[in-house]
Short mmCIF file of all heavy atoms in Angstrom, two decimals:
data_model
loop_
_atom_site.label_atom_id
_atom_site.label_comp_id
_atom_site.label_asym_id
_atom_site.label_seq_id
_atom_site.Cartn_x
_atom_site.Cartn_y
_atom_site.Cartn_z
N ILE M 356 21.35 -23.42 -80.03
CA ILE M 356 21.45 -24.18 -78.78
C ILE M 356 20.13 -24.14 -78.04
O ILE M 356 19.65 -25.15 -77.53
CB ILE M 356 22.58 -23.61 -77.90
CG1 ILE M 356 23.93 -23.77 -78.60
CG2 ILE M 356 22.61 -24.31 -76.55
CD1 ILE M 356 25.06 -23.04 -77.93
N PHE M 357 19.53 -22.96 -77.98
CA PHE M 357 18.24 -22.79 -77.29
C PHE M 357 17.22 -23.76 -77.87
O PHE M 357 16.51 -24.47 -77.15
CB PHE M 357 17.76 -21.35 -77.42
CG PHE M 357 16.58 -21.02 -76.56
CD1 PHE M 357 16.75 -20.27 -75.42
CD2 PHE M 357 15.31 -21.44 -76.90
CE1 PHE M 357 15.67 -19.95 -74.62
CE2 PHE M 357 14.23 -21.13 -76.11
CZ PHE M 357 14.41 -20.38 -74.96
N PHE M 358 17.11 -23.81 -79.19
CA PHE M 358 16.08 -24.63 -79.80
C PHE M 358 16.42 -26.12 -79.73
O PHE M 358 15.52 -26.95 -79.68
CB PHE M 358 15.82 -24.19 -81.24
CG PHE M 358 14.90 -23.03 -81.32
CD1 PHE M 358 15.40 -21.76 -81.52
CD2 PHE M 358 13.54 -23.18 -81.16
CE1 PHE M 358 14.56 -20.67 -81.58
CE2 PHE M 358 12.69 -22.10 -81.21
CZ PHE M 358 13.20 -20.84 -81.42
N LEU M 359 17.71 -26.46 -79.72
CA LEU M 359 18.07 -27.86 -79.51
C LEU M 359 17.62 -28.31 -78.13
O LEU M 359 17.07 -29.40 -77.95
CB LEU M 359 19.59 -28.05 -79.67
CG LEU M 359 20.13 -27.97 -81.11
CD1 LEU M 359 21.64 -27.99 -81.09
CD2 LEU M 359 19.58 -29.11 -81.95
N LEU M 360 17.84 -27.45 -77.13
CA LEU M 360 17.38 -27.77 -75.78
C LEU M 360 15.87 -27.82 -75.72
O LEU M 360 15.28 -28.67 -75.05
CB LEU M 360 17.91 -26.73 -74.78
CG LEU M 360 19.38 -26.90 -74.40
CD1 LEU M 360 19.86 -25.66 -73.67
CD2 LEU M 360 19.59 -28.13 -73.55
N ALA M 361 15.23 -26.89 -76.43
CA ALA M 361 13.77 -26.89 -76.45
C ALA M 361 13.24 -28.16 -77.10
O ALA M 361 12.24 -28.74 -76.65
CB ALA M 361 13.25 -25.67 -77.20
N ALA M 362 13.92 -28.63 -78.15
CA ALA M 362 13.49 -29.87 -78.80
C ALA M 362 13.63 -31.06 -77.86
O ALA M 362 12.77 -31.93 -77.79
CB ALA M 362 14.32 -30.10 -80.06
N ALA M 363 14.75 -31.08 -77.11
CA ALA M 363 14.93 -32.15 -76.13
C ALA M 363 13.84 -32.09 -75.07
O ALA M 363 13.31 -33.12 -74.64
CB ALA M 363 16.31 -32.02 -75.48
N MET M 364 13.51 -30.88 -74.65
CA MET M 364 12.44 -30.69 -73.68
C MET M 364 11.13 -31.22 -74.23
O MET M 364 10.35 -31.89 -73.53
CB MET M 364 12.29 -29.22 -73.34
CG MET M 364 11.10 -28.91 -72.45
SD MET M 364 10.91 -27.13 -72.22
CE MET M 364 10.44 -26.64 -73.87
N ALA M 365 10.84 -30.92 -75.50
CA ALA M 365 9.58 -31.37 -76.09
C ALA M 365 9.50 -32.89 -76.09
O ALA M 365 8.45 -33.46 -75.80
CB ALA M 365 9.47 -30.83 -77.52
N GLN M 366 10.63 -33.55 -76.39
CA GLN M 366 10.63 -35.01 -76.41
C GLN M 366 10.37 -35.56 -75.02
O GLN M 366 9.58 -36.50 -74.84
CB GLN M 366 11.98 -35.52 -76.94
CG GLN M 366 12.08 -37.04 -77.00
CD GLN M 366 11.05 -37.64 -77.94
OE1 GLN M 366 10.86 -37.15 -79.03
NE2 GLN M 366 10.36 -38.68 -77.47
N ARG M 367 11.04 -34.98 -74.01
CA ARG M 367 10.86 -35.46 -72.64
C ARG M 367 9.44 -35.20 -72.16
O ARG M 367 8.83 -36.03 -71.49
CB ARG M 367 11.87 -34.78 -71.71
CG ARG M 367 13.29 -35.18 -71.98
CD ARG M 367 14.27 -34.36 -71.20
NE ARG M 367 14.07 -34.53 -69.77
CZ ARG M 367 14.77 -33.85 -68.84
NH1 ARG M 367 15.66 -32.96 -69.23
NH2 ARG M 367 14.55 -34.06 -67.58
N THR M 368 8.91 -34.02 -72.51
CA THR M 368 7.55 -33.70 -72.08
C THR M 368 6.55 -34.60 -72.76
O THR M 368 5.59 -35.06 -72.15
CB THR M 368 7.25 -32.22 -72.40
OG1 THR M 368 8.23 -31.41 -71.78
CG2 THR M 368 5.88 -31.83 -71.87
N ALA M 369 6.75 -34.87 -74.06
CA ALA M 369 5.83 -35.75 -74.77
C ALA M 369 5.84 -37.14 -74.15
O ALA M 369 4.80 -37.78 -73.99
CB ALA M 369 6.23 -35.83 -76.24
N THR M 370 7.03 -37.62 -73.74
CA THR M 370 7.12 -38.92 -73.08
C THR M 370 6.34 -38.91 -71.78
O THR M 370 5.60 -39.85 -71.46
CB THR M 370 8.59 -39.27 -72.81
OG1 THR M 370 9.29 -39.31 -74.05
CG2 THR M 370 8.70 -40.62 -72.11
N ALA M 371 6.49 -37.82 -71.03
CA ALA M 371 5.76 -37.72 -69.76
C ALA M 371 4.26 -37.69 -69.99
O ALA M 371 3.49 -38.30 -69.24
CB ALA M 371 6.20 -36.45 -69.03
N LEU M 372 3.83 -37.03 -71.04
CA LEU M 372 2.40 -36.92 -71.31
C LEU M 372 1.81 -38.25 -71.77
O LEU M 372 0.61 -38.49 -71.61
CB LEU M 372 2.15 -35.84 -72.36
CG LEU M 372 2.39 -34.42 -71.88
CD1 LEU M 372 2.30 -33.46 -73.06
CD2 LEU M 372 1.38 -34.02 -70.81
N ASN M 373 2.64 -39.13 -72.33
CA ASN M 373 2.16 -40.45 -72.71
C ASN M 373 1.95 -41.35 -71.49
O ASN M 373 1.37 -42.43 -71.60
CB ASN M 373 3.14 -41.11 -73.68
CG ASN M 373 3.11 -40.45 -75.05
OD1 ASN M 373 2.09 -39.92 -75.45
ND2 ASN M 373 4.24 -40.49 -75.76
N HIS M 374 2.48 -40.92 -70.36
CA HIS M 374 2.30 -41.65 -69.11
C HIS M 374 1.73 -40.67 -68.09
O HIS M 374 2.46 -40.05 -67.33
CB HIS M 374 3.65 -42.21 -68.61
CG HIS M 374 4.28 -43.16 -69.58
ND1 HIS M 374 5.04 -42.73 -70.66
CD2 HIS M 374 4.22 -44.52 -69.67
CE1 HIS M 374 5.46 -43.79 -71.34
NE2 HIS M 374 4.97 -44.87 -70.77
N PRO M 375 0.40 -40.48 -68.11
CA PRO M 375 -0.24 -39.44 -67.32
C PRO M 375 0.20 -39.45 -65.86
O PRO M 375 0.34 -40.49 -65.23
CB PRO M 375 -1.74 -39.76 -67.45
CG PRO M 375 -1.84 -40.48 -68.76
CD PRO M 375 -0.59 -41.27 -68.86
N GLN M 376 0.45 -38.24 -65.37
CA GLN M 376 0.87 -38.06 -64.00
C GLN M 376 -0.12 -37.15 -63.30
O GLN M 376 -0.75 -36.30 -63.93
CB GLN M 376 2.26 -37.41 -63.93
CG GLN M 376 3.33 -38.20 -64.66
CD GLN M 376 4.65 -37.45 -64.65
OE1 GLN M 376 5.01 -36.84 -63.66
NE2 GLN M 376 5.37 -37.50 -65.75
N THR M 377 -0.25 -37.31 -62.04
CA THR M 377 -1.08 -36.41 -61.25
C THR M 377 -0.24 -35.67 -60.22
O THR M 377 -0.78 -35.10 -59.28
CB THR M 377 -2.20 -37.19 -60.54
OG1 THR M 377 -1.62 -38.21 -59.72
CG2 THR M 377 -3.14 -37.83 -61.55
N ALA M 378 1.07 -35.72 -60.40
CA ALA M 378 1.97 -35.10 -59.43
C ALA M 378 1.71 -33.59 -59.35
O ALA M 378 1.54 -32.93 -60.37
CB ALA M 378 3.42 -35.36 -59.82
#
Side-chain angles (χ1 to χ4, degrees):
I356 297 170
F357 190 104
F358 278 101
L359 288 172
L360 283 168
M364 174 185 68
Q366 181 61 46
R367 292 172 62 184
T368 304
T370 301
L372 289 172
N373 289 331
H374 300 83
Q376 303 176 39
T377 57

